[in-house]
Amino acid sequence: SEMCIRDRSQPMESTKGAAQLLEGERIVYDKKAKKATVEEAFNKGEKKVAPVSLFAEEILLQGDCFTATLPFLEDLVEPAKHAPVNFKMPAVNYDLEYVYGYRTSDCRQNLYFTHDGNVVYNAASLGVVLDPRADKQKFFGVGSTNSSASVISERHDNDIVCLSISPDRKYVATGQAGKKPSFYIWSVDTCRVKAPKTRYHIATKRARAICACNWSADGKYVAFIDRSEQPIVYTMDAATGKVTNACIMGSLQVFDVAWSRRMGDHVLATCGLKHIKFWDLKDMKPKQGVGCDNQTFACVTYDFQGNCYAGGLDGNVYIFNEEVMVAKKVAHKGLVHTIAWIEDRLYTGGADNILCVIDSKLNIEEKFNFETVPRAVDRKGDEMIVGQRDG
């Protein structure tokens, strides 16, 4: 076979209207300039650039995986006659009709019944409200965004990674991943923000996400936590959107947050790697959990009497009265992934793919086996819904 050799110092020439690449070169497409060029794939020195035919641009959409010789390119021929290339946006719009899928592999307790029997959850950057009877959906976050607009759009610009529903099941709080992550409170009926100011953008440079959120028992406040080298726990007035507290937690890895469910309490718990802390809204001075031996907790919840339940790495549920551990219940083999107090029962999902229903006396009443890990659970009347790790 014939070997083709080209001097890198010379401009690349196309054969039969397509590009020839040498080993160690790649094609790079500049979307703004609408132009394709060839450059060194691995060397950081001066780039050797040459034009590439338009017909070769189709393969450029696959990114930088083409870093070596592409022998088939010399057999590609651009048609002698074809319609002019039009780079303008099409003069049409689209409506989102249905979203398939549900994000829960790295989320927990992000699936709830609404006040009217619908189901709310997150998928990608959307909040989804599903009517299971009619199999219809509506969405929070649909629409175009303009980064230069003075008005903040009602949408997340990155994946939603935490979701919590208000006690009356009419409003939802959602937080997202990404730089300067945003936080919204919105209505499950209208899929619009609750009030113009019930949205917040974290300006901390090192924040990578809002990883957890939860509502107070009276629905007046929402707590949320950012994911960074030094996480911050925020409390927000749910009616006005005003952030009332922002407390640095130190170099802790935080996984979950929960308010006390006892009416009149404004106490919350945060948990994570080798810690659980308790905060009072009056002064927001944390108290370290006592008697739990630096256990790692993945999830936390409260009952209506103000008792706190935390799911441990060892498969146990730890019960706290204020900051003191008073009991421990063996629930799972492996990490407790999710925990929720619903009506008068405690629901836990573990790494053993089992969902446990535990009564107020810490007796396991029921066990449900699943194919993958239960990461979210909710119950309303006789209906129960479970979110599994595989979505």
Side-chain angles (χ1 to χ4, degrees), residues 235-247:
T235 59
M236 173 187 282
D237 186 313
T240 65
K242 180 182 178 181
V243 172
T244 56
N245 291 283
C247 302

Side-chain angles (χ1 to χ4, degrees), residues 271 348 361:
C271 69
T348 64
K361 296 182 180 180

Side-chain angles (χ1 to χ4, degrees), residues 112-115 120 163-174 184-195 198 215 219 222 238-239:
Y112 295 95
F113 287 107
T114 65
H115 68 99
V120 62
L163 181 150
S164 182
I165 198 165
S166 63
D168 62 7
R169 297 180 179 268
K170 293 182 178 181
Y171 296 96
V172 168
T174 49
Y184 288 90
I185 298 175
W186 49 276
S187 166
V188 298
D189 295 321
T190 64
C191 290
R192 301 292 301 274
V193 292
K194 182 179 181 181
T198 54
W215 291 74
V222 181

Side-chain angles (χ1 to χ4, degrees), residues 297-323:
F297 299 100
C299 48
V300 63
T301 190
Y302 277 86
D303 64 18
F304 296 107
Q305 283 71 48
N307 298 308
C308 177
Y309 302 81
L313 179 65
D314 57 2
N316 294 329
V317 174
Y318 291 73
I319 299 93
F320 295 84
N321 188 340
E322 295 184 347
E323 71 272 15

Side-chain angles (χ1 to χ4, degrees), residues 145-146 149-155 182 184 193 196 199-201:
T145 181
N146 184 351
S150 58
V151 179
I152 301 174
S153 59
E154 293 185 7
R155 69 188 300 272
S182 60
Y184 288 90
V193 292
R199 48 195 167 197
Y200 187 76
H201 289 253

Side-chain angles (χ1 to χ4, degrees), residues 94-99 126 137 139 142:
Y94 66 90
D95 292 323
L96 184 59
E97 182 177 295
Y98 206 93
V99 170
L126 297 173
Q137 295 176 337
F139 313 97
V142 177

Side-chain angles (χ1 to χ4, degrees), residues 47 143 238 248 254 264 291 315 329 345-346 356 368 383:
K47 297 179 181 179
I248 298 176
V254 186
K329 173 67 178 179
R345 296 290 186 272
L346 183 70
C356 291
F368 299 92
E383 295 183 310

